[in-house]
Amino acid sequence: MTGTEERRIDGRQRADAALVWAYHHMGHELRPCDVAIGLGSHDLGVPAYAAELFSRGLFNTVVFSGGPNTTAPGRFPEGEAVRFAEDAVALGVPESAVLREPRARNTGQNIAFSREVLKQAGVKMRSVMLISMPYMERRAYATCRQVWPEVQVVCASAPLSMEDYARTVGGEQHVIDHMMGDLQRVMEYPARGFAVEQVIPADVLSAYQRLRADGFTSRMLG
């Protein structure tokens, strides 16, 4: 589906999208980690949730990673890392706890470049919390296991339903298109050496195929 007009989502499509949405969540139990990485995106809920998790004592240092944002450039005039860090500090995270990684253009770079920033800052890193958009958890996990296999990984995202999340970021079509693109990458990136394999249940794969046939393809690889 292309264009800016919001399409009507029918009941079957919404049910299929719910399967894909649930699959993208790793279901990790939140626990204290040495560091956190706020993965760059168009979603300002990421730094907000990072600030909440910091206030709960789940990590002492957070890196916000990301360069220019192509989805919502007006929201990120200085890039994702800068905007995310500004938001987190405004929400109470001390400046001393925040690091910025402004070069990354993809998830693999988010993780690899953030690791270097943390290393240069002298931070010990046995465990990392990856804070992302909800539908990005599995791709972030699979990417981290490939790029940084020795670290313990906990994935975290704002605990919202698909419907509630859609209201915060641009509607159901926007979310379905994006999470379809993420699922395609979960499937295809291992063969390219970008991520580790993930098992995809048959019902999720069937839902993906139906939604793809319905035209929810604007965020898919060519």
Side-chain angles (χ1 to χ4, degrees):
M1 189 72 176
T2 60
T4 58
E5 184 178 350
E6 181 74 9
R7 69 182 286 174
R8 183 180 180 86
I9 311 299
D10 66 30
R12 194 273 298 162
Q13 291 167 340
R14 191 170 287 112
D16 283 343
L19 286 171
V20 176
W21 172 266
Y23 174 72
H24 279 308
H25 286 73
M26 295 302 299
H28 289 168
E29 181 178 354
L30 296 181
R31 59 178 175 80
C33 291
D34 294 326
V35 298
I37 301 174
L39 299 173
S41 69
H42 60 277
D43 181 7
L44 296 178
V46 172
Y49 194 50
E52 178 184 331
L53 296 177
F54 179 87
S55 73
R56 289 160 57 181
L58 291 176
F59 48 85
N60 294 321
T61 302
V62 57
V63 184
F64 291 108
S65 172
N69 184 281
T70 58
T71 301
R75 217 180 293 164
F76 301 91
E78 297 180 85
E80 296 164 346
V82 172
R83 175 63 192 270
F84 277 19
E86 289 175 348
D87 282 14
V89 170
L91 290 168
V93 180
E95 180 66 45
S96 59
V98 175
L99 297 172
R100 296 162 178 80
E101 186 296 295
R103 298 184 296 127
R105 299 297 185 96
N106 57 56
T107 306
Q109 290 180 356
N110 285 143
I111 294 166
F113 293 174
S114 292
R115 182 184 185 183
E116 289 304 311
V117 168
L118 287 160
K119 185 177 180 181
Q120 291 169 10
V123 179
K124 293 182 179 180
M125 302 168 287
R126 293 165 298 181
S127 59
V128 61
M129 183 175 292
L130 300 178
I131 306 171
S132 69
M133 299 178 290
Y135 58 77
M136 191 180 172
E137 281 194 23
R138 187 169 295 274
R139 180 162 64 88
Y141 175 82
T143 303
C144 191
R145 300 310 303 147
Q146 178 73 21
V147 175
W148 195 357
E150 65 273 23
V151 78
Q152 298 174 37
V153 183
V154 174
C155 292
S157 63
L160 298 172
S161 68
M162 183 177 69
E163 293 77 14
D164 287 343
Y165 184 70
R167 282 191 282 270
T168 72
V169 296
E172 286 183 302
Q173 179 188 325
H174 173 93
V175 171
I176 296 172
D177 277 344
H178 277 75
M179 67 182 184
M180 285 287 288
D182 263 53
L183 184 49
Q184 182 195 32
R185 287 161 176 79
V186 167
M187 292 189 289
E188 295 190 9
Y189 276 4
R192 303 187 188 193
F194 298 158
V196 300
E197 292 276 358
Q198 297 289 286
V199 175
I200 302 175
D203 59 344
V204 174
L205 184 58
S206 294
Y208 167 85
Q209 291 168 339
R210 287 190 294 268
L211 290 169
R212 182 167 187 167
D214 288 342
F216 293 95
T217 57
S218 71
R219 302 298 297 184
M220 287 190 166
L221 302 168

